[in-house]
Amino acid sequence: MKPVRLMLGAALLCAIAAPDPAHAAGYQIYEQGSAVLGMAGAGTASVNDASALFFNPAALTRVDRTRFYIGSSILSPAVSFAGMPAYPGYGVTEEMNSQHFPLPTFYLTHRTASKWAVGFGVNTTYGLGVDWKNPDTYTGRYIVTKAKLTTINSTLSLAYELNPQWSVAAGGNVLLANVELHNRVQAVVPGGGGAVTDVAKADLEGDRTPGYGWNAALSFVPGTQWKLGAAYRSKVVVHEDGHADFTQILTGNAGFDAAVAASLPPDQNVSTVLRFPATWSAGIAFLPATDWTVEADVNYVEWKLFSDLPLYFKTTPSANQTIEENYDNTVQVRVGAEHRLTAFTYRFGYYFDQGAAPPESVSPLLPDADRHGATLGLGMRFGANKQWALDAYDLALFVNKRSTEGINRDGYDGEYKTFINSIGVTAELRW
């Protein structure tokens, strides 16, 4: 029954670390502020609300007074798969169930009477999940039927204005990560000519384990028409603990079922290492008129950190293993503009984001690929002193078709098609 154990280890290992088609390459989420997202996330230089805590903390010195900022994005992915030889073969098609992921965001910032500013925030910077239809017959069920990665990120940053042109910032963050996985364990049927059948359900639930990181940023305003910014968010490494439960599926063959029962690992604790990459951001904004801002940003994400996935079984260490992932570092290019009118502000933008996963790592857990995003945004201020701001955006994300090129390491080859829509609304009060 050794094949049972090997299939199980590979499935659990992959699912612990990498669910879903998130909005940025890999499993990163960049949807952290509606005004900046209306400009396709191009805000490192020009961000002027409390979401500066994420996009460029150094800009907090240019965000006046106290700001209370709250909102959410809702991500809605649609994913399908078409099989190729050798397995599952041509003619096999699969789809994910419809899903909608709310991503709440909260920031509180304050600009002091001196040259200091401080910000605290809570958001979701990595995650999402997969949920494939018809889990009893889904051809990739030995890899995953349903999985979810959730994170809660809390950040505290302090900014200082060196002079009217230059500001700097630094801070730290705590990232809480949790994983959930459901999949099937398969084994070769005795005398079945190599056919396999489901022999168990495997369910994994992780603990909400913390990891720690830091950030630094720079903001430079040389004149009335130009703004420049740069920011760095460090990697976060989480040593995740969890528990694996195994429920046998009886086949009706008494001898086979007895052999499976004897070889299945017992319910036990498992652990792995989750790696969340560092991100470098740089932006330049041009104000051709007092009511227009145009910005271009480049983000560099160090996905090479996600080189492999170790898995450690507490009770049966003979099942321990490491799977190579070999992700590549990626570049995002984001371009956006906003036009400020008397009654409202409208925004638009485009971005391109490289996929991080090599073909052999593209799987039902993370069908990663290059993607193109187009955004529209709308904002307005209201209240007696214009102390309220309300912003909204809509993002259409077109993900390139991605083939495993016949070299998927789980032996599950085919082509993935993904489309994602995201909408978001945020409200900010300043006083």
Side-chain angles (χ1 to χ4, degrees):
M1 282 296 123
K2 189 175 181 180
V4 172
R5 184 174 297 169
L6 292 176
M7 289 183 181
L8 174 65
L12 289 179
L13 180 59
C14 291
I16 282 177
D20 193 52
H23 265 176
Y27 40 93
Q28 187 183 56
I29 298 173
Y30 207 73
E31 287 63 35
Q32 307 297 339
S34 291
V36 174
L37 260 294
M39 297 170 60
T44 305
S46 66
V47 59
N48 60 5
D49 59 25
S51 68
L53 184 65
F54 174 80
F55 294 106
N56 185 346
L60 290 174
T61 62
R62 313 185 197 285
V63 178
D64 64 350
R65 297 185 278 180
T66 300
R67 306 285 184 106
F68 175 80
Y69 183 106
I70 192 168
S72 180
S73 293
I74 298 177
L75 276 60
S76 303
V79 184
S80 62
F81 170 83
M84 294 180 179
Y87 183 82
Y90 292 122
V92 174
T93 59
E94 307 284 2
E95 291 183 358
M96 282 192 196
N97 288 312
S98 297
Q99 299 181 90
H100 306 283
F101 299 96
L103 303 170
T105 301
F106 161 79
Y107 303 115
L108 181 64
T109 67
H110 177 66
R111 173 67 156 89
T112 69
S114 60
K115 296 184 177 183
W116 293 92
V118 63
F120 172 76
V122 179
N123 55 10
T124 299
T125 50
Y126 298 91
L128 299 188
V130 297
D131 185 12
W132 289 95
K133 289 183 177 180
N134 306 312
D136 291 332
T137 58
Y138 167 55
T139 53
R141 62 190 181 276
Y142 66 98
I143 302 171
V144 64
T145 58
K146 185 177 183 179
K148 182 183 292 186
L149 167 67
T150 58
T151 62
I152 300 174
N153 182 64
S154 57
T155 303
L156 179 66
S157 291
L158 190 65
Y160 181 70
E161 182 185 274
L162 299 172
N163 56 48
Q165 288 77 41
W166 290 93
S167 292
V168 295
N173 67 292
V174 179
L175 181 74
L176 295 173
N178 188 54
V179 293
E180 176 186 345
L181 162 73
H182 305 277
N183 74 301
R184 303 298 168 85
V185 182
Q186 295 182 325
V188 177
V189 178
V196 297
T197 188
D198 296 354
V199 296
K201 294 181 180 179
D203 301 298
L204 181 143
E205 179 71 30
D207 298 329
R208 195 165 288 283
T209 307
Y212 305 93
W214 59 278
N215 63 77
L218 182 70
S219 176
F220 176 49
V221 180
T224 58
Q225 286 192 302
W226 294 95
K227 295 181 179 181
L228 293 90
Y232 173 79
R233 291 183 295 278
S234 78
K235 69 180 181 181
V236 177
V237 178
V238 176
H239 295 270
E240 179 80 1
D241 296 318
H243 193 266
D245 298 315
F246 310 106
T247 304
Q248 186 174 358
I249 301 172
L250 298 177
T251 65
N253 182 325
F256 182 48
D257 290 341
V260 169
S263 64
L264 276 177
D267 297 349
Q268 61 187 283
N269 293 329
V270 294
S271 63
T272 189
V273 179
L274 306 182
R275 300 180 178 97
F276 302 96
T279 300
W280 301 80
S281 301
I284 181 169
F286 175 57
L287 285 70
T290 57
D291 56 349
W292 274 96
T293 299
V294 180
E295 179 163 345
D297 282 13
V298 175
N299 297 334
Y300 183 75
V301 187
E302 296 182 351
W303 278 110
K304 279 188 178 294
L305 179 71
F306 189 39
S307 59
D308 59 52
L309 290 169
L311 181 69
Y312 309 105
F313 284 88
K314 178 71 173 181
T315 306
T316 55
S318 60
N320 293 353
Q321 58 183 282
T322 298
I323 289 183
E324 299 297 322
E325 289 295 339
N326 297 321
Y327 271 38
D328 296 316
N329 295 340
T330 64
V331 174
Q332 305 168 10
V333 179
R334 298 172 179 268
V335 181
E338 74 170 18
H339 188 196
R340 297 172 290 278
L341 304 176
T342 302
F344 61 90
T345 298
Y346 67 89
R347 306 176 178 98
F348 53 92
Y350 161 83
Y351 75 85
F352 170 75
D353 186 12
Q354 288 181 312
E360 59 270 24
S361 297
V362 175
S363 77
L365 284 157
L366 191 64
D368 192 38
D370 294 348
R371 61 211 73 193
H372 304 263
T375 68
L376 294 173
L378 188 67
M380 61 184 301
R381 291 195 171 274
F382 56 95
N385 299 308
K386 302 294 184 182
Q387 73 270 33
W388 283 97
L390 186 66
D391 294 289
Y393 79 92
D394 183 82
L395 164 65
L397 189 62
F398 303 92
V399 182
N400 291 358
K401 293 180 181 180
R402 187 68 191 275
S403 171
T404 63
E405 300 178 16
I407 56 174
N408 175 253
R409 61 170 50 93
D410 296 314
Y412 192 72
D413 287 302
E415 183 178 77
Y416 294 89
K417 293 173 59 178
T418 302
F419 173 79
I420 302 174
N421 182 256
S422 176
I423 58 173
V425 177
T426 55
E428 182 183 68
L429 173 64
R430 61 179 180 173
W431 67 92

